[in-house]
Amino acid sequence: MMDWFFVGMACLLAGAFLVPFVPAQRRPVAFTLVILLSAIAETLALAPVFSGGGTVSSIVPFGWPLGDAVLRIDRLSAFFLLVIAWLGLPALVVSGRFTRMDTVDGARIHWFFLGMLFLAMKLAIVLESLIHFLVVWEIMSLSSFFLVLMGNSLRRIRSAGLHYFVAMHISVVFLMLGAVVLGGGGFTNLHGTTGLSFLFLMTGFAFKMGLVPFHSWVPEAYPAASPHVSAIMSALMSKLGVYGMLRAVMAFGPSSEVAAWIVVAVGSISAVSGITFAVIRRDLKEILAYSSMENLGIITAGIGVMMLGSAYSNTFMLVAGIAAVLVHTICHSLYKIVLFTGAGLVEYAGAGRDLETLGGLARRMPRIAGTFFCMAWASASLPPFGGLISEILLVLGLVAGLTTGFPLVTTALVVILALVIMTGAVALLAWTRIWGIAFSGEPRSAGSAETDDRAVRGWAFLWIPVAVLLFMGLFPAVVFDLLLPFLDTLSLEMMPIDSGIGLWPLVRVSLPETLLSFSVPVIAFVAVIGFLLMVRAMLLRGRRVVAAATWACGWQKPDPSIQYTADSFSDPFVSVVRPVLHTEYEGEAVRGFFPESAGSNRQDDDPIRRKFVSRLGRLVDGVFARFAWIQSGNMQQYILYGLLWLSAMITWILVVA
Amino acid sequence: MEFFFAQILLLLTLPFLTLWIILRVKAFWASRRGPALFQPFFDIMRLLKKGAVYSTTTTTVFRLMPTVQLAAVMIAAALLPLPGRDHILSFDGDFVLFAYLLAASRFALVAAALETGSPFEGMGGSREASFAIFAEPAFFLLAGSMVLAGGGTQLAGMVSAFDGRTVLATLAVLSLFVMVLLEGARVPVDDPATHLELTMIHEAMILDHSGPDLAMLHYGAALKTVVVSALLVLVALPEGECTGWMRLLWTAAGTLVLAVLIGTLESFMARLRMTHVPQFVLLMFSISLVALVSVLLLP
């Protein structure tokens, strides 16, 4: 059945080369069809993975120098293959809006690189041999780099593209180092290898996911790319990092305690710092980028919980961790596909991206606003959406570890729990801020006042992810059942050898029962909302319902400028955490009885990106500057090099001969 | 099943009684007579009978959110294990859902507040969302210490995890009391009687609501106070001595006693300066932390 996979790949390859030659207006539709067809083909290819032995493989002979490529689909690859094949579609449906208006993006080559990106993502998941994996990984990095670069030709975006290019290649260097230490081979025969290569591989994947402290490219690259590309990069490409981490963890077998603690700490710190940076920034897409970092942090924390479960032979923790990772991977892909597309539609409607210039979009762009609101609500992990389920699984996993008996372990777990919960609470601030400032109220600029979304085609498709998330939230037990084939394999692989298969058969029954009981109150929640709405409608029927201006403390003519701003909204929280942020402040105090001028300008920013990474950059610059004298631009000096070289050669020939 | 319906009925009536007691106690300390028993009920009914005024700035979200807020608090109320371990809506990890339902009601309030574009409502919403950031981890620290003390992961078991351990129970009660004041928007976090918009939190967020929507918001806020108070009382109640109906009644009585306490506190204390509120909420965090450390150190 591997044939179907090759059909899908052929479809993608043909699409990448042919879509650029379709008439410009048809390209988005044609490309969406290509992705849809390949998704169907690849889904067909997965049938034996679920029915039969769990893996299908095939060997493509490449010969020298790379050797034969082994393609192998097991259930882990199948899961990620499904995510990448299907979840990007809603963004592609509306991508016509982003490519038609922008001449650079509308260019043929854009679709070629997008096709190559999909091709590389899917191959990376399926390739078994490390060396081929690295080649494909590089194709993925390069095609996404070109896509970022083509977002626009502005100078700022060039620098963002360069930043991304460098970050991705540091990631590749780490992956290569990992492969070198391992001495090649494939993912499934890494057993018994050193911790050093594990560290290298995990670092490489952490770069791709944008975890602390490797995230500096995230707020640069995502905002720079065009909206559907940002959506695909954030929702799908970053998941390759998750896949890689899971692969590495599985390959190295039952994990060590130290590694597990590092992963869980990096994950939860990424989550809490990502969402904090999302609260302090003003650019809509930058906020979404930081929110991606937060979500990937949560996923990493889930991987950490799973490793801890393995290290302490705690089956429940292990399974809850894996389930949290899988559920949150789906949830985050769904959020970000809709949110990045929504932000893009807002931007392309002429409103811009700065929160302080937005406002009142909900009335002007109702088609987009509906999905955006649902996703903002879901991103704060609130019921009745699916994000709550991954949060609950993660918390249950952490809590299950509390009773291990070691005080130090318990203390550490409680700290992690507090960080995860704090992430959720800050996310509430972040999402009410984004929704409330950008979509509610009155427009803060002429640009946002004139927006409308009547021209947007295919907006209805953005409701599909919302519906899926709602289903996941209402029926978590069904989701668990659907994930069982993946959970079966993963938990058996991760189980410590000495404890056998552990309590997996028990957890396999008890966990869905727990999730099933979550359905009752969540469904009741939706039902009660419906009931109250009905009561409200009945009460208001026939009564006087008046429209008037917002009450502004007796001021009869409210003006948009009196509204709360994004910065003032987050200030009570930001003023508490400001000591750890990077803050630029310039102000002029009020002096004298008749002050002539006064002002204040404060900009908070990500300290890691602004202090640590830029210092590191300067350091590297400084080191290389010491060698600058070699290339002085002085002709005499170059002639001298030539002479020295010649004389050295002559001496060598004379000595040898 | 009959316990469940009794609990719902009880929790749905308690908000009126609680509001009345708080008002009466405040009136007592101020040497006034105070409102009649049914006054809070009449207030809500009066609002329910009215039409509504909607700002032209608002959208459907503004009309939807009051129901979402009330529904979330109602489901949270249903999750409370008033009758003890027999509670039918009791399952592993229900405390997480409880906390997230309270968060959902908060999101609904803040989103509705921002809909109006009013600076005061933005101010209120900003404070509401920000102060909770320190309270939520504190609640989970407390929950974690209850799990550690052998309470399991169901609210029904967790609330009696500290039975017979006076120090721990006291710490938990103190921590939850701060949560009552914060979630119920009472002094010293917020002053429900204030008429200066700049100093409000909860009241500032509902300035533009009217009619049935306002009724739902007022009732939801009172119910939220009752829900968190009832949780506090459940933690304080020893499990072994009262079960079933007795436990239900004791919880109701305890909630009303707590209302007297809140009223008294409100009569003798001023609202904190807004910049000091995060420190007050951090008090809850530190108490929970102390509780957790004590559980760890005193097995």
Side-chain angles (χ1 to χ4, degrees), chain A residues 198 202 249 254-268 300-312 317 413 416 494:
Chain A
F198 182 66
M202 290 300 258
V249 172
S255 32
S256 80
E257 230 175 297
V258 182
W261 281 113
I262 293 175
V263 171
V264 81
V266 167
S268 48
T300 312
I303 298 180
V305 169
M306 157 186 133
M307 291 166 76
L308 283 174
S310 175
Y312 293 117
M317 214 175 164
L413 279 177
I416 302 289
M494 283 294 298

Side-chain angles (χ1 to χ4, degrees), chain A residues 6 110 137 167 194 204 207 225-226 285 405 415 527 616:
Chain A
F6 290 117
H110 169 85
W137 190 269
T194 60
F207 257 101
S226 41
K285 278 177 87 178
V415 173
L616 195 69

Side-chain angles (χ1 to χ4, degrees), chain B residues 18 23 36-37 49 59 77 97 100 152 158 275 285:
Chain B
T18 310
L23 287 174
L37 174 59
K49 282 180 195 151
T59 63
L97 188 63
Y100 274 84
M158 287 164 74
T275 44
F285 194 86

Side-chain angles (χ1 to χ4, degrees), chain B residues 189-202:
Chain B
V189 177
D190 190 8
D191 188 356
T194 182
H195 288 284
L196 177 61
E197 290 87 346
L198 291 174
T199 63
M200 299 195 233
I201 301 176
H202 181 261

Side-chain angles (χ1 to χ4, degrees), chain B residues 23-234:
Chain B
L23 287 174
R24 269 314 261 259
V25 169
K26 283 171 83 174
F28 171 79
W29 290 115
S31 310
R32 288 184 283 112
R33 273 184 56 206
L37 174 59
F38 283 103
Q39 193 55 49
F41 177 69
F42 291 147
D43 284 344
I44 300 280
M45 288 314 282
R46 174 174 50 90
L47 286 172
L48 282 178
K49 282 180 195 151
K50 287 192 172 190
V53 182
Y54 290 112
S55 162
T56 44
T57 308
T58 58
T59 63
T60 320
V61 171
F62 184 76
R63 291 156 181 71
L64 187 67
M65 286 303 120
T67 61
V68 175
Q69 184 254 1
L70 182 53
V73 184
M74 280 176 159
I75 303 297
L79 287 177
L80 281 180
L82 251 54
R85 289 178 201 259
D86 310 334
H87 188 53
I88 53 169
L89 266 187
S90 208
F91 45 88
D92 286 330
D94 52 0
F95 69 100
V96 188
L97 188 63
F98 178 81
Y100 274 84
L101 280 167
L102 291 187
S105 79
R106 190 174 304 124
F107 193 114
L109 260 178
V110 177
L114 286 167
E115 274 287 294
T116 60
S118 148
F120 304 115
E121 303 214 17
M123 201 180 283
S126 149
R127 288 167 182 167
E128 173 89 10
S130 303
F131 297 155
I133 289 173
F134 307 103
E136 265 186 45
F139 177 74
F140 276 85
L141 282 188
L142 193 63
S145 58
M146 286 169 172
V147 174
L148 262 183
T153 53
Q154 304 189 355
L155 271 178
M158 287 164 74
V159 291
S160 39
F162 292 158
D163 282 0
R165 306 174 76 172
T166 325
V167 179
L168 285 176
T170 315
L171 287 172
V173 164
L174 278 178
S175 168
L176 284 172
F177 188 61
V178 178
M179 189 170 161
V180 172
L181 298 176
L182 179 76
E183 293 284 357
R186 314 300 313 193
V187 172
V189 177
D190 190 8
D191 188 356
T194 182
H195 288 284
L196 177 61
E197 290 87 346
L198 291 174
T199 63
M200 299 195 233
I201 301 176
H202 181 261
E203 296 297 311
M205 284 191 290
I206 57 176
L207 278 173
D208 232 61
H209 290 272
S210 55
D213 291 339
L214 188 59
M216 281 194 266
L217 287 177
H218 274 319
Y219 181 69
L223 184 60
K224 207 179 195 177
T225 319
V226 168
V227 166
V228 186
S229 307
L231 183 66
L232 184 155
V233 176
L234 285 173

